[in-house]
């Protein structure tokens, strides 16, 4: 591993980094009631027609194991609110002392060039090294289903269809999966009642909002007997991702 590769095919040299950036704590998972409420409030502001571009002048690096020819959802979300985004191919390093040293050097260089770094699905050990040396906010795959932003967006989507005093969600499926665990944690933090049922129990009384994880890889949102429009759910996810970026990068 001798550097990061930009999507235009040119290798960016690691170079020699003289200045050392003080380590910054990693971006915290925002699964507290205060954190969730704050993110949703910011997301609601961002979807207003008169919303500004709060990340104008900020630079975001998206580290990806493989080069991609199509923009990611995160890239689109960040650029929409003014950020400049660089997609950088970050080959998976070998697990050696030399590789770790080089990752640290790379992280310090990236911290000088960018205001934030997203690590997609890079190994946790690699991400931790980047967090330790970059000196800027580092995200553990902000657009992935395993990031809390997705769970918060799902919760927001369902709660928008319910009155403040009647927020109940039926959960169907395996609650031990990562996405389900985060969704349940977010719901508990916001005081939303979770009712657990099997798929076979869906008939009978009219049920409120539903998070359906009844099969492997399945995740569907329902309001009563109607599936939530996928475009609406994706829109809310984009806005929550934007809110996470705004909260992190405007403090950086």
């Amino acid at each position: 591993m001798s550097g990061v590769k930009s999507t235009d095919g040119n290798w960016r040299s690691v170079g020699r980094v003289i200045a050392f950036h003080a380590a910054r704590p990693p971006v915290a998972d925002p699964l507290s009631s205060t954190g969730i409420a704050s993110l949703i409030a910011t997301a609601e502001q961002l979807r207003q027609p008169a919303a500004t571009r709060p990340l104008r002048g900020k630079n975001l690096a998206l580290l990806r194991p493989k080069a991609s020819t199509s923009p990611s959802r995160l890239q689109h979300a960040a650029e929409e609110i003014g950020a400049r985004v660089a997609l950088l191919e970050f080959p998976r390093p070998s697990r050696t002392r030399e590789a770790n040293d080089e990752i640290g050097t790379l992280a310090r260089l990236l911290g000088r060039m960018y205001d934030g770094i997203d690590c997609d699905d890079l190994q946790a050990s690699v991400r931790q090294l980047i967090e330790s040396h970059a000196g800027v906010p580092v995200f553990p795959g902000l657009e992935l289903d395993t990031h809390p932003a997705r769970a918060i967006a799902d919760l927001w989507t369902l709660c928008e269809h319910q009155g403040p005093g009647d927020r109940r969600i039926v959960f169907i499926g395996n609650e031990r999966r990562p996405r389900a665990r985060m969704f349940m944690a977010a719901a508990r933090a916001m005081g939303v009642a979770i009712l657990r049922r099997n798929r076979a129990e869906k008939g009978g009384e009219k049920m409120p909002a539903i998070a359906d994880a009844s099969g492997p890889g399945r995740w569907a949102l329902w309001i009563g007997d109607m599936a939530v429009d996928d475009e609406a759910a994706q829109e809310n996810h984009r806005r929550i991702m934007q809110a996470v970026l705004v909260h992190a990068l405007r403090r950086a």
Side-chain angles (χ1 to χ4, degrees):
M1 178 180 176
S2 58
V4 289
K5 191 177 183 181
S6 65
T7 52
D8 61 6
N10 296 319
W11 281 96
R12 296 189 175 182
S13 173
V14 174
R16 192 182 197 105
V17 181
I18 304 300
F20 179 84
H21 283 229
R24 178 190 300 268
V27 177
D29 288 347
L31 288 178
S32 66
S33 58
T34 302
I36 293 170
S38 179
L39 286 173
I40 291 176
T42 299
E44 288 177 335
Q45 293 174 355
L46 290 171
R47 72 179 180 183
Q48 298 304 314
T52 59
R53 290 161 64 87
L55 294 189
R56 186 184 299 274
K58 296 292 186 180
N59 297 293
L60 178 66
L62 308 186
L63 305 185
R64 300 296 183 258
K66 296 180 181 179
S68 174
T69 58
S70 59
S72 69
R73 295 192 305 271
L74 178 56
Q75 179 182 359
H76 175 68
E79 290 177 341
E80 189 178 48
I81 54 174
R84 292 188 292 267
V85 179
L87 284 169
L88 304 177
E89 185 178 350
F90 192 92
R92 297 188 184 277
S94 58
R95 304 181 68 174
T96 65
R97 175 69 177 271
E98 291 76 13
N100 288 349
D101 291 342
E102 188 172 350
I103 291 170
T105 302
L106 259 175
R108 291 191 288 273
L109 178 61
L110 291 172
R112 297 181 65 186
M113 297 172 63
Y114 300 99
D115 300 290
I117 301 167
D118 183 83
C119 291
D120 197 59
D121 64 347
L122 296 178
Q123 294 173 325
S125 59
V126 174
R127 186 181 71 243
Q128 289 162 4
L129 278 171
I130 294 172
E131 287 174 343
S132 298
H133 296 285
V136 296
V138 175
F139 305 96
L142 182 51
E143 72 178 283
L144 301 179
D145 289 344
T146 52
H147 191 281
R150 173 64 83 174
I152 294 169
D154 290 338
L155 182 65
W156 182 28
T157 298
L158 291 178
C159 287
E160 281 189 305
H161 294 274
Q162 298 181 312
D166 187 35
R167 287 184 171 167
R168 298 176 298 138
I169 295 174
V170 172
F171 181 83
I172 302 172
N174 184 355
E175 62 190 70
R176 293 187 296 274
R177 295 191 180 112
R179 186 172 181 176
R181 288 201 308 268
M182 286 189 298
F183 179 81
M184 306 281 267
R188 285 193 296 269
M190 295 303 290
V192 177
I194 295 290
L195 311 176
R196 297 174 180 80
R197 298 192 183 181
N198 297 320
R199 183 72 180 175
E201 297 178 293
K202 189 175 177 181
E205 65 175 284
K206 183 177 180 179
M207 294 195 290
I210 302 168
D212 182 357
S214 56
R218 176 176 174 78
W219 187 270
L221 305 178
W222 298 74
I223 301 297
D225 293 327
M226 294 188 63
V228 172
D229 181 67
D230 185 63
E231 288 188 10
Q234 294 295 343
E235 160 73 7
N236 281 356
H237 185 217
R238 185 169 81 255
R239 296 305 183 189
I240 292 294
M241 287 194 295
Q242 290 174 339
V244 173
L245 290 172
V246 168
H247 284 201
L249 300 190
R250 294 190 71 176
R251 291 197 301 264

